[in-house]
C-alpha cells in the first residue's frame, strides 16, 4: 500500500508498477434529498470525489444499494441508479456491478476504483509553510438540506445547493495536478474545519483561514442565522473548537458554517504561493468558477487552525 489506513487520507492507494497504482474508496449516504435522481447523482459525485481528492482518475464503480423493497416503488430505485449512472458516465468511468439488500431506510453510494501515477499522489498531508489554501466549492449544503427536510428552505436556494453537490471535482482535480498541489482533501462530513484540521495535523502546520473569504452557497447565511444546523455539524464544531484559535470574535452562524457537514463538497487544496494565483485563475476559466483562495499555511504555532 502506498497510502493505507494509518492516516486520514481520502482513498487507499495500491502500487501496481512504476507507472500505475490503484486508488480505491467507498462511500454511501442516507437520502439527503427527496428527489431520487438527484440523490443518486449527489451520492455518486460524493463517492467519486475521494478519487479526485487524491489526484486519481476513476475507472470503475460498483453500486451499494439499501432499499425498502415492497415499501417504496421500484421506480424510485431506478431513478437513484439513473442519477448515479449519469455521474459515472460524466466521470468517464463505467458501472461494473453492485449489490443491493432490503433495508428500512434507503442508502446509496459507490465503491470506486481509479488509477494514479505512484509519484503523483496528492495526500491530505504535505501542506507546507508559505502555501496558500484554495477551496473549490461554496459551503452550506448541510444547513440547506437540513432546512429543506423541515420545509424551511426556498426552492432556488435548494436548487443551487443541489447543483453544487452534483458537481464533480474532476476539473479541480486535473488542474491541481497540473499546478503541483502539495496537499488536498475533499470537504465532506467533517466540514471545512474538520477536514482542515486533518490536513493541518497530518502536515504538522497551522492553517490560517480567512473566514470572510470562504465562499458560501447563496441564501445559506439567512438559514444559518436561524440556527438550522444538523446534529453532525454541531458535533463537528465541538470536535474542532479546541484546535481553532479565533483572532477576533466571529458570529456563531459563521463558525457553524465553517464546520457544516457537507455532502459532496469541494476540494481544499494547499499550493505554493507563487502558483496559487494562476491556479485560481485557471479554475475560474476552466469550469470551477466558485474557487477562492481562503487562507495560508504557517509553520505550526499554538493551534492547528487560526480563524482570521
Ligand atoms: Co474524502
Ligand atoms: Co469519503
Amino acid at each position: 500500500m502506498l497510502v493505507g489506513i494509518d492516516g486520514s487520507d481520502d482513498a487507499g492507494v495500491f502500487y501496481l508498477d512504476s507507472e500505475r497504482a490503484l486508488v480505491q474508496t467507498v462511500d454511501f449516504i442516507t437520502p439527503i434529498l427527496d428527489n431520487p435522481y438527484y440523490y443518486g447523482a449527489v451520492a455518486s459525485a460524493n463517492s467519486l470525489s475521494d478519487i479526485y481528492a487524491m489526484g486519481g482518475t476513476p475507472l470503475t464503480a460498483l453500486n451499494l444499494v439499501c432499499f425498502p423493497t415492497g415499501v417504496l416503488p421500484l421506480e424510485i430505485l431506478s431513478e437513484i441508479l439513473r442519477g448515479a449512472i449519469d455521474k459515472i458516465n460524466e466521470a468517464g468511468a463505467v458501472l461494473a456491478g453492485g449489490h443491493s439488500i432490503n433495508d428500512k431506510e434507503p442508502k446509496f453510494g459507490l465503491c470506486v476504483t481509479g488509477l494514479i501515477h505512484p509519484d503523483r499522489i496528492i495526500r491530505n498531508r504535505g501542506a507546507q509553510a508559505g502555501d496558500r489554501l484554495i477551496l473549490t466549492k461554496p459551503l452550506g449544503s448541510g444547513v440547506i438540506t437540513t432546512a429543506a427536510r423541515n420545509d424551511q428552505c426556498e426552492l432556488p436556494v435548494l436548487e443551487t445547493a443541489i447543483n453544487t453537490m452534483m458537481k464533480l471535482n474532476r476539473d479541480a482535480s486535473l488542474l491541481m495536478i497540473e499546478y503541483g498541489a502539495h496537499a488536498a482533501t475533499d470537504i465532506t462530513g467533517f466540514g471545512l474545519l474538520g477536514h482542515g484540521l486533518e490536513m493541518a495535523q497530518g502536515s504538522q502546520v497551522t492553517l490560517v483561514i480567512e473566514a470572510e473569504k470562504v465562499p458560501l452557497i447563496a441564501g445559506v447565511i439567512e438559514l444559518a442565522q436561524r440556527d438550522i444546523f444538523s446534529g453532525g455539524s454541531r458535533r463537528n464544531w465541538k470536535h474542532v473548537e479546541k484546535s481553532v484559535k479565533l483572532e477576533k470574535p466571529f458570529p456563531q452562524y459563521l463558525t457553524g458554517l465553517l464546520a457544516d457537514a457537507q455532502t459532496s463538497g469541494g476540494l481544499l487544496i494547499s499550493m505554493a504561493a507563487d502558483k496559487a494565483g494562476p491556479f485560481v485563475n485557471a479554475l475560474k476559466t476552466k469550469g470551477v468558477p466558485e474557487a477562492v483562495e481562503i487562507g495560508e499555511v504557517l509553520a505550526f504555532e499554538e493551534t492547528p487552525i487560526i480563524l482570521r
Side-chain angles (χ1 to χ4, degrees):
M1 295 303 295
L2 296 176
V3 178
I5 55 173
D6 54 321
S8 42
D9 274 290
D10 292 296
V13 182
F14 180 77
Y15 182 87
L16 292 176
D17 57 41
S18 60
E19 298 284 310
R20 296 174 310 161
L22 286 182
V23 202
Q24 294 185 293
T25 182
V26 59
D27 212 317
F28 55 95
I29 57 173
T30 54
I32 42 132
L33 299 164
D34 273 345
N35 180 302
Y37 175 85
Y38 290 140
Y39 168 47
V42 167
S44 302
N46 177 54
S47 300
L48 288 156
S49 177
D50 281 326
I51 302 283
Y52 291 132
M54 305 298 290
T57 306
L59 293 179
T60 60
L62 302 166
N63 60 40
L64 298 149
V65 181
C66 301
F67 193 78
T69 313
V71 179
L72 287 179
L74 277 176
E75 290 80 65
I76 290 185
L77 181 55
S78 339
E79 279 294 282
I80 295 172
L81 292 172
R82 194 169 67 85
I85 287 165
D86 279 356
K87 281 294 144 184
I88 294 166
N89 288 342
E90 190 186 333
V94 290
L95 184 65
H99 182 66
S100 60
I101 61 161
N102 201 354
D103 193 358
K104 254 184 268 174
E105 195 191 19
K107 288 151 201 99
F108 184 77
L110 301 175
C111 174
V112 189
T113 299
L115 211 53
I116 196 166
H117 193 289
D119 301 333
R120 293 167 126 206
I121 301 164
I122 302 173
R123 304 189 63 168
N124 67 354
R125 59 183 77 165
Q128 298 172 20
D131 280 2
R132 297 291 152 81
L133 296 169
I134 293 104
L135 179 64
T136 67
K137 281 189 193 180
L139 302 179
S141 61
V143 167
I144 291 169
T145 53
T146 303
R149 270 200 299 279
N150 298 301
D151 288 322
Q152 288 179 298
C153 180
E154 286 171 30
L155 196 58
V157 176
L158 178 61
E159 282 172 347
T160 309
I162 291 173
N163 285 330
T164 303
M165 292 187 286
M166 276 175 56
K167 190 176 167 61
L168 293 179
N169 283 324
R170 178 194 51 203
D171 296 345
S173 179
L174 289 171
L175 285 166
M176 80 171 175
I177 302 163
E178 190 183 325
Y179 282 79
H182 290 154
T185 189
D186 59 339
I187 305 305
T188 54
F190 299 142
L192 173 65
L193 292 178
H195 292 284
L197 180 60
E198 289 180 338
M199 182 181 283
Q201 288 172 334
S203 311
Q204 295 174 299
V205 294
T206 290
L207 305 190
V208 180
I209 294 172
E210 297 188 44
E212 265 103 56
K213 285 194 185 169
V214 176
L216 302 171
I217 297 173
V220 76
I221 290 182
E222 199 214 317
L223 298 170
Q225 284 171 334
R226 282 155 57 195
D227 201 34
I228 308 176
F229 287 97
S230 67
S233 295
R234 288 180 208 281
R235 282 193 295 278
N236 282 347
W237 172 252
K238 286 218 165 68
H239 174 71
V240 299
E241 201 176 3
K242 282 193 201 80
S243 311
V244 180
K245 180 177 145 195
L246 307 179
E247 281 201 341
K248 59 182 184 205
F250 289 95
Q252 207 182 327
Y253 80 85
L254 188 55
T255 51
L257 280 169
L258 298 180
D260 185 41
Q262 303 299 285
T263 301
S264 193
L267 300 181
L268 173 67
I269 299 161
S270 187
M271 180 164 301
D274 60 331
K275 292 193 180 150
F279 173 57
V280 172
N281 287 338
L283 286 167
K284 284 184 187 298
T285 53
K286 290 179 184 169
V288 196
E290 283 161 316
V292 180
E293 189 180 311
I294 61 161
E296 62 181 329
V297 180
L298 306 177
F300 182 79
E301 51 177 74
E302 223 178 312
T303 58
I305 296 182
I306 295 174
L307 273 194
R308 178 170 289 165

